[in-house]
Amino acid sequence: MDKKPQHADAVDCREASRLLSAAYERKLSSGESVALTYHLDRCFMCRNFDSQLKFLHAASERFRSE
């Protein structure tokens, strides 16, 4: 279950997953990037989600180039 951020610039797991996905569509702002990095440093589940997104993105790139 998502926990409420303790810092004003912190993000919760829902926002982190949104930002991880958005990073493939656009460049994140510096504030978004810092908040996401802070969250990922502390959240195993979101780091795992990030790894899964990277794998899927790489697989789709390989499929597209064939």
Side-chain angles (χ1 to χ4, degrees), residues 4-21:
K4 190 165 183 110
Q6 295 179 359
H7 301 84
D9 59 348
V11 296
D12 61 13
C13 292
R14 182 176 299 206
E15 180 67 4
S17 63
R18 187 191 70 74
L19 289 172
L20 287 167
S21 296

mmCIF file with all atom_site columns, all heavy atoms in Angstrom, residues 4-21:
data_model
loop_
_atom_site.group_PDB
_atom_site.id
_atom_site.type_symbol
_atom_site.label_atom_id
_atom_site.label_alt_id
_atom_site.label_comp_id
_atom_site.label_asym_id
_atom_site.label_entity_id
_atom_site.label_seq_id
_atom_site.pdbx_PDB_ins_code
_atom_site.Cartn_x
_atom_site.Cartn_y
_atom_site.Cartn_z
_atom_site.occupancy
_atom_site.B_iso_or_equiv
_atom_site.pdbx_formal_charge
_atom_site.auth_seq_id
_atom_site.auth_comp_id
_atom_site.auth_asym_id
_atom_site.auth_atom_id
_atom_site.pdbx_PDB_model_num
ATOM 1   N N   . LYS A 1 4  ? 2.098  7.839  2.488   1.00 0.00 ? 4  LYS A N   1
ATOM 2   C CA  . LYS A 1 4  ? 2.122  9.276  2.222   1.00 0.00 ? 4  LYS A CA  1
ATOM 3   C C   . LYS A 1 4  ? 3.553  9.794  2.353   1.00 0.00 ? 4  LYS A C   1
ATOM 4   O O   . LYS A 1 4  ? 4.246  9.465  3.302   1.00 0.00 ? 4  LYS A O   1
ATOM 5   C CB  . LYS A 1 4  ? 1.213  9.984  3.217   1.00 0.00 ? 4  LYS A CB  1
ATOM 6   C CG  . LYS A 1 4  ? 0.987  11.426 2.867   1.00 0.00 ? 4  LYS A CG  1
ATOM 7   C CD  . LYS A 1 4  ? -0.177 11.973 3.647   1.00 0.00 ? 4  LYS A CD  1
ATOM 8   C CE  . LYS A 1 4  ? -0.429 13.381 3.247   1.00 0.00 ? 4  LYS A CE  1
ATOM 9   N NZ  . LYS A 1 4  ? -1.630 13.552 2.507   1.00 0.00 ? 4  LYS A NZ  1
ATOM 10  N N   . PRO A 1 5  ? 4.028  10.579 1.353   1.00 0.00 ? 5  PRO A N   1
ATOM 11  C CA  . PRO A 1 5  ? 5.388  11.109 1.436   1.00 0.00 ? 5  PRO A CA  1
ATOM 12  C C   . PRO A 1 5  ? 5.584  11.955 2.685   1.00 0.00 ? 5  PRO A C   1
ATOM 13  O O   . PRO A 1 5  ? 4.710  12.701 3.086   1.00 0.00 ? 5  PRO A O   1
ATOM 14  C CB  . PRO A 1 5  ? 5.516  11.981 0.184   1.00 0.00 ? 5  PRO A CB  1
ATOM 15  C CG  . PRO A 1 5  ? 4.435  11.517 -0.730  1.00 0.00 ? 5  PRO A CG  1
ATOM 16  C CD  . PRO A 1 5  ? 3.336  10.999 0.150   1.00 0.00 ? 5  PRO A CD  1
ATOM 17  N N   . GLN A 1 6  ? 6.771  11.827 3.300   1.00 0.00 ? 6  GLN A N   1
ATOM 18  C CA  . GLN A 1 6  ? 7.060  12.598 4.503   1.00 0.00 ? 6  GLN A CA  1
ATOM 19  C C   . GLN A 1 6  ? 7.654  13.957 4.171   1.00 0.00 ? 6  GLN A C   1
ATOM 20  O O   . GLN A 1 6  ? 7.608  14.858 4.972   1.00 0.00 ? 6  GLN A O   1
ATOM 21  C CB  . GLN A 1 6  ? 8.006  11.815 5.398   1.00 0.00 ? 6  GLN A CB  1
ATOM 22  C CG  . GLN A 1 6  ? 7.380  10.549 5.929   1.00 0.00 ? 6  GLN A CG  1
ATOM 23  C CD  . GLN A 1 6  ? 8.332  9.770  6.808   1.00 0.00 ? 6  GLN A CD  1
ATOM 24  O OE1 . GLN A 1 6  ? 9.472  10.157 7.006   1.00 0.00 ? 6  GLN A OE1 1
ATOM 25  N NE2 . GLN A 1 6  ? 7.871  8.668  7.344   1.00 0.00 ? 6  GLN A NE2 1
ATOM 26  N N   . HIS A 1 7  ? 8.235  14.114 2.994   1.00 0.00 ? 7  HIS A N   1
ATOM 27  C CA  . HIS A 1 7  ? 8.823  15.378 2.580   1.00 0.00 ? 7  HIS A CA  1
ATOM 28  C C   . HIS A 1 7  ? 7.968  15.980 1.476   1.00 0.00 ? 7  HIS A C   1
ATOM 29  O O   . HIS A 1 7  ? 7.383  15.263 0.678   1.00 0.00 ? 7  HIS A O   1
ATOM 30  C CB  . HIS A 1 7  ? 10.247 15.169 2.066   1.00 0.00 ? 7  HIS A CB  1
ATOM 31  C CG  . HIS A 1 7  ? 11.146 14.562 3.102   1.00 0.00 ? 7  HIS A CG  1
ATOM 32  N ND1 . HIS A 1 7  ? 11.212 13.214 3.326   1.00 0.00 ? 7  HIS A ND1 1
ATOM 33  C CD2 . HIS A 1 7  ? 12.000 15.140 3.968   1.00 0.00 ? 7  HIS A CD2 1
ATOM 34  C CE1 . HIS A 1 7  ? 12.077 12.970 4.289   1.00 0.00 ? 7  HIS A CE1 1
ATOM 35  N NE2 . HIS A 1 7  ? 12.568 14.121 4.700   1.00 0.00 ? 7  HIS A NE2 1
ATOM 36  N N   . ALA A 1 8  ? 7.938  17.287 1.414   1.00 0.00 ? 8  ALA A N   1
ATOM 37  C CA  . ALA A 1 8  ? 7.099  17.967 0.427   1.00 0.00 ? 8  ALA A CA  1
ATOM 38  C C   . ALA A 1 8  ? 7.468  17.583 -1.001  1.00 0.00 ? 8  ALA A C   1
ATOM 39  O O   . ALA A 1 8  ? 6.610  17.478 -1.859  1.00 0.00 ? 8  ALA A O   1
ATOM 40  C CB  . ALA A 1 8  ? 7.208  19.479 0.612   1.00 0.00 ? 8  ALA A CB  1
ATOM 41  N N   . ASP A 1 9  ? 8.767  17.345 -1.267  1.00 0.00 ? 9  ASP A N   1
ATOM 42  C CA  . ASP A 1 9  ? 9.197  17.023 -2.625  1.00 0.00 ? 9  ASP A CA  1
ATOM 43  C C   . ASP A 1 9  ? 9.280  15.514 -2.880  1.00 0.00 ? 9  ASP A C   1
ATOM 44  O O   . ASP A 1 9  ? 9.648  15.090 -3.963  1.00 0.00 ? 9  ASP A O   1
ATOM 45  C CB  . ASP A 1 9  ? 10.533 17.682 -2.940  1.00 0.00 ? 9  ASP A CB  1
ATOM 46  C CG  . ASP A 1 9  ? 11.638 17.254 -1.981  1.00 0.00 ? 9  ASP A CG  1
ATOM 47  O OD1 . ASP A 1 9  ? 11.332 16.630 -0.958  1.00 0.00 ? 9  ASP A OD1 1
ATOM 48  O OD2 . ASP A 1 9  ? 12.793 17.557 -2.283  1.00 0.00 ? 9  ASP A OD2 1
ATOM 49  N N   . ALA A 1 10 ? 8.950  14.697 -1.887  1.00 0.00 ? 10 ALA A N   1
ATOM 50  C CA  . ALA A 1 10 ? 9.001  13.251 -2.045  1.00 0.00 ? 10 ALA A CA  1
ATOM 51  C C   . ALA A 1 10 ? 7.785  12.753 -2.824  1.00 0.00 ? 10 ALA A C   1
ATOM 52  O O   . ALA A 1 10 ? 6.750  13.406 -2.852  1.00 0.00 ? 10 ALA A O   1
ATOM 53  C CB  . ALA A 1 10 ? 9.059  12.579 -0.675  1.00 0.00 ? 10 ALA A CB  1
ATOM 54  N N   . VAL A 1 11 ? 7.950  11.596 -3.441  1.00 0.00 ? 11 VAL A N   1
ATOM 55  C CA  . VAL A 1 11 ? 6.838  10.996 -4.166  1.00 0.00 ? 11 VAL A CA  1
ATOM 56  C C   . VAL A 1 11 ? 6.510  9.652  -3.537  1.00 0.00 ? 11 VAL A C   1
ATOM 57  O O   . VAL A 1 11 ? 7.351  9.009  -2.919  1.00 0.00 ? 11 VAL A O   1
ATOM 58  C CB  . VAL A 1 11 ? 7.171  10.812 -5.671  1.00 0.00 ? 11 VAL A CB  1
ATOM 59  C CG1 . VAL A 1 11 ? 7.379  12.141 -6.354  1.00 0.00 ? 11 VAL A CG1 1
ATOM 60  C CG2 . VAL A 1 11 ? 8.369  9.915  -5.883  1.00 0.00 ? 11 VAL A CG2 1
ATOM 61  N N   . ASP A 1 12 ? 5.255  9.228  -3.701  1.00 0.00 ? 12 ASP A N   1
ATOM 62  C CA  . ASP A 1 12 ? 4.861  7.908  -3.235  1.00 0.00 ? 12 ASP A CA  1
ATOM 63  C C   . ASP A 1 12 ? 5.039  6.908  -4.379  1.00 0.00 ? 12 ASP A C   1
ATOM 64  O O   . ASP A 1 12 ? 5.475  7.273  -5.482  1.00 0.00 ? 12 ASP A O   1
ATOM 65  C CB  . ASP A 1 12 ? 3.431  7.913  -2.693  1.00 0.00 ? 12 ASP A CB  1
ATOM 66  C CG  . ASP A 1 12 ? 2.389  8.314  -3.725  1.00 0.00 ? 12 ASP A CG  1
ATOM 67  O OD1 . ASP A 1 12 ? 2.694  8.364  -4.936  1.00 0.00 ? 12 ASP A OD1 1
ATOM 68  O OD2 . ASP A 1 12 ? 1.241  8.570  -3.328  1.00 0.00 ? 12 ASP A OD2 1
ATOM 69  N N   . CYS A 1 13 ? 4.729  5.656  -4.140  1.00 0.00 ? 13 CYS A N   1
ATOM 70  C CA  . CYS A 1 13 ? 4.942  4.614  -5.144  1.00 0.00 ? 13 CYS A CA  1
ATOM 71  C C   . CYS A 1 13 ? 4.107  4.850  -6.404  1.00 0.00 ? 13 CYS A C   1
ATOM 72  O O   . CYS A 1 13 ? 4.590  4.608  -7.513  1.00 0.00 ? 13 CYS A O   1
ATOM 73  C CB  . CYS A 1 13 ? 4.620  3.246  -4.557  1.00 0.00 ? 13 CYS A CB  1
ATOM 74  S SG  . CYS A 1 13 ? 5.793  2.742  -3.272  1.00 0.00 ? 13 CYS A SG  1
ATOM 75  N N   . ARG A 1 14 ? 2.908  5.312  -6.255  1.00 0.00 ? 14 ARG A N   1
ATOM 76  C CA  . ARG A 1 14 ? 2.062  5.580  -7.423  1.00 0.00 ? 14 ARG A CA  1
ATOM 77  C C   . ARG A 1 14 ? 2.687  6.656  -8.309  1.00 0.00 ? 14 ARG A C   1
ATOM 78  O O   . ARG A 1 14 ? 2.764  6.516  -9.526  1.00 0.00 ? 14 ARG A O   1
ATOM 79  C CB  . ARG A 1 14 ? 0.665  6.000  -6.983  1.00 0.00 ? 14 ARG A CB  1
ATOM 80  C CG  . ARG A 1 14 ? -0.282 6.238  -8.154  1.00 0.00 ? 14 ARG A CG  1
ATOM 81  C CD  . ARG A 1 14 ? -1.647 6.541  -7.670  1.00 0.00 ? 14 ARG A CD  1
ATOM 82  N NE  . ARG A 1 14 ? -2.090 5.377  -6.910  1.00 0.00 ? 14 ARG A NE  1
ATOM 83  C CZ  . ARG A 1 14 ? -3.322 5.021  -6.728  1.00 0.00 ? 14 ARG A CZ  1
ATOM 84  N NH1 . ARG A 1 14 ? -4.297 5.749  -7.220  1.00 0.00 ? 14 ARG A NH1 1
ATOM 85  N NH2 . ARG A 1 14 ? -3.645 3.952  -6.041  1.00 0.00 ? 14 ARG A NH2 1
ATOM 86  N N   . GLU A 1 15 ? 3.127  7.737  -7.700  1.00 0.00 ? 15 GLU A N   1
ATOM 87  C CA  . GLU A 1 15 ? 3.756  8.829  -8.454  1.00 0.00 ? 15 GLU A CA  1
ATOM 88  C C   . GLU A 1 15 ? 5.094  8.380  -9.040  1.00 0.00 ? 15 GLU A C   1
ATOM 89  O O   . GLU A 1 15 ? 5.436  8.737  -10.168 1.00 0.00 ? 15 GLU A O   1
ATOM 90  C CB  . GLU A 1 15 ? 3.947  10.048 -7.555  1.00 0.00 ? 15 GLU A CB  1
ATOM 91  C CG  . GLU A 1 15 ? 4.583  11.234 -8.238  1.00 0.00 ? 15 GLU A CG  1
ATOM 92  C CD  . GLU A 1 15 ? 3.725  11.889 -9.320  1.00 0.00 ? 15 GLU A CD  1
ATOM 93  O OE1 . GLU A 1 15 ? 2.566  11.481 -9.515  1.00 0.00 ? 15 GLU A OE1 1
ATOM 94  O OE2 . GLU A 1 15 ? 4.241  12.801 -9.988  1.00 0.00 ? 15 GLU A OE2 1
ATOM 95  N N   . ALA A 1 16 ? 5.834  7.568  -8.295  1.00 0.00 ? 16 ALA A N   1
ATOM 96  C CA  . ALA A 1 16 ? 7.110  7.060  -8.804  1.00 0.00 ? 16 ALA A CA  1
ATOM 97  C C   . ALA A 1 16 ? 6.886  6.217  -10.056 1.00 0.00 ? 16 ALA A C   1
ATOM 98  O O   . ALA A 1 16 ? 7.617  6.359  -11.042 1.00 0.00 ? 16 ALA A O   1
ATOM 99  C CB  . ALA A 1 16 ? 7.827  6.253  -7.727  1.00 0.00 ? 16 ALA A CB  1
ATOM 100 N N   . SER A 1 17 ? 5.891  5.359  -10.041 1.00 0.00 ? 17 SER A N   1
ATOM 101 C CA  . SER A 1 17 ? 5.630  4.529  -11.220 1.00 0.00 ? 17 SER A CA  1
ATOM 102 C C   . SER A 1 17 ? 5.188  5.389  -12.400 1.00 0.00 ? 17 SER A C   1
ATOM 103 O O   . SER A 1 17 ? 5.574  5.126  -13.542 1.00 0.00 ? 17 SER A O   1
ATOM 104 C CB  . SER A 1 17 ? 4.606  3.432  -10.924 1.00 0.00 ? 17 SER A CB  1
ATOM 105 O OG  . SER A 1 17 ? 3.364  3.967  -10.583 1.00 0.00 ? 17 SER A OG  1
ATOM 106 N N   . ARG A 1 18 ? 4.435  6.441  -12.136 1.00 0.00 ? 18 ARG A N   1
ATOM 107 C CA  . ARG A 1 18 ? 4.031  7.358  -13.204 1.00 0.00 ? 18 ARG A CA  1
ATOM 108 C C   . ARG A 1 18 ? 5.254  8.056  -13.794 1.00 0.00 ? 18 ARG A C   1
ATOM 109 O O   . ARG A 1 18 ? 5.394  8.157  -15.018 1.00 0.00 ? 18 ARG A O   1
ATOM 110 C CB  . ARG A 1 18 ? 3.027  8.392  -12.674 1.00 0.00 ? 18 ARG A CB  1
ATOM 111 C CG  . ARG A 1 18 ? 2.429  9.275  -13.766 1.00 0.00 ? 18 ARG A CG  1
ATOM 112 C CD  . ARG A 1 18 ? 1.661  10.452 -13.186 1.00 0.00 ? 18 ARG A CD  1
ATOM 113 N NE  . ARG A 1 18 ? 2.523  11.444 -12.569 1.00 0.00 ? 18 ARG A NE  1
ATOM 114 C CZ  . ARG A 1 18 ? 3.301  12.302 -13.244 1.00 0.00 ? 18 ARG A CZ  1
ATOM 115 N NH1 . ARG A 1 18 ? 3.342  12.294 -14.554 1.00 0.00 ? 18 ARG A NH1 1
ATOM 116 N NH2 . ARG A 1 18 ? 4.050  13.179 -12.592 1.00 0.00 ? 18 ARG A NH2 1
ATOM 117 N N   . LEU A 1 19 ? 6.154  8.496  -12.927 1.00 0.00 ? 19 LEU A N   1
ATOM 118 C CA  . LEU A 1 19 ? 7.360  9.174  -13.398 1.00 0.00 ? 19 LEU A CA  1
ATOM 119 C C   . LEU A 1 19 ? 8.292  8.228  -14.149 1.00 0.00 ? 19 LEU A C   1
ATOM 120 O O   . LEU A 1 19 ? 8.901  8.617  -15.152 1.00 0.00 ? 19 LEU A O   1
ATOM 121 C CB  . LEU A 1 19 ? 8.106  9.814  -12.225 1.00 0.00 ? 19 LEU A CB  1
ATOM 122 C CG  . LEU A 1 19 ? 7.426  11.033 -11.602 1.00 0.00 ? 19 LEU A CG  1
ATOM 123 C CD1 . LEU A 1 19 ? 8.162  11.451 -10.328 1.00 0.00 ? 19 LEU A CD1 1
ATOM 124 C CD2 . LEU A 1 19 ? 7.352  12.179 -12.586 1.00 0.00 ? 19 LEU A CD2 1
ATOM 125 N N   . LEU A 1 20 ? 8.407  6.984  -13.681 1.00 0.00 ? 20 LEU A N   1
ATOM 126 C CA  . LEU A 1 20 ? 9.233  6.016  -14.390 1.00 0.00 ? 20 LEU A CA  1
ATOM 127 C C   . LEU A 1 20 ? 8.717  5.802  -15.810 1.00 0.00 ? 20 LEU A C   1
ATOM 128 O O   . LEU A 1 20 ? 9.494  5.739  -16.762 1.00 0.00 ? 20 LEU A O   1
ATOM 129 C CB  . LEU A 1 20 ? 9.272  4.686  -13.625 1.00 0.00 ? 20 LEU A CB  1
ATOM 130 C CG  . LEU A 1 20 ? 10.103 4.690  -12.352 1.00 0.00 ? 20 LEU A CG  1
ATOM 131 C CD1 . LEU A 1 20 ? 9.811  3.449  -11.517 1.00 0.00 ? 20 LEU A CD1 1
ATOM 132 C CD2 . LEU A 1 20 ? 11.583 4.787  -12.676 1.00 0.00 ? 20 LEU A CD2 1
ATOM 133 N N   . SER A 1 21 ? 7.425  5.694  -15.956 1.00 0.00 ? 21 SER A N   1
ATOM 134 C CA  . SER A 1 21 ? 6.826  5.533  -17.287 1.00 0.00 ? 21 SER A CA  1
ATOM 135 C C   . SER A 1 21 ? 6.994  6.799  -18.118 1.00 0.00 ? 21 SER A C   1
ATOM 136 O O   . SER A 1 21 ? 7.320  6.733  -19.303 1.00 0.00 ? 21 SER A O   1
ATOM 137 C CB  . SER A 1 21 ? 5.337  5.192  -17.166 1.00 0.00 ? 21 SER A CB  1
ATOM 138 O OG  . SER A 1 21 ? 5.173  3.951  -16.535 1.00 0.00 ? 21 SER A OG  1
#
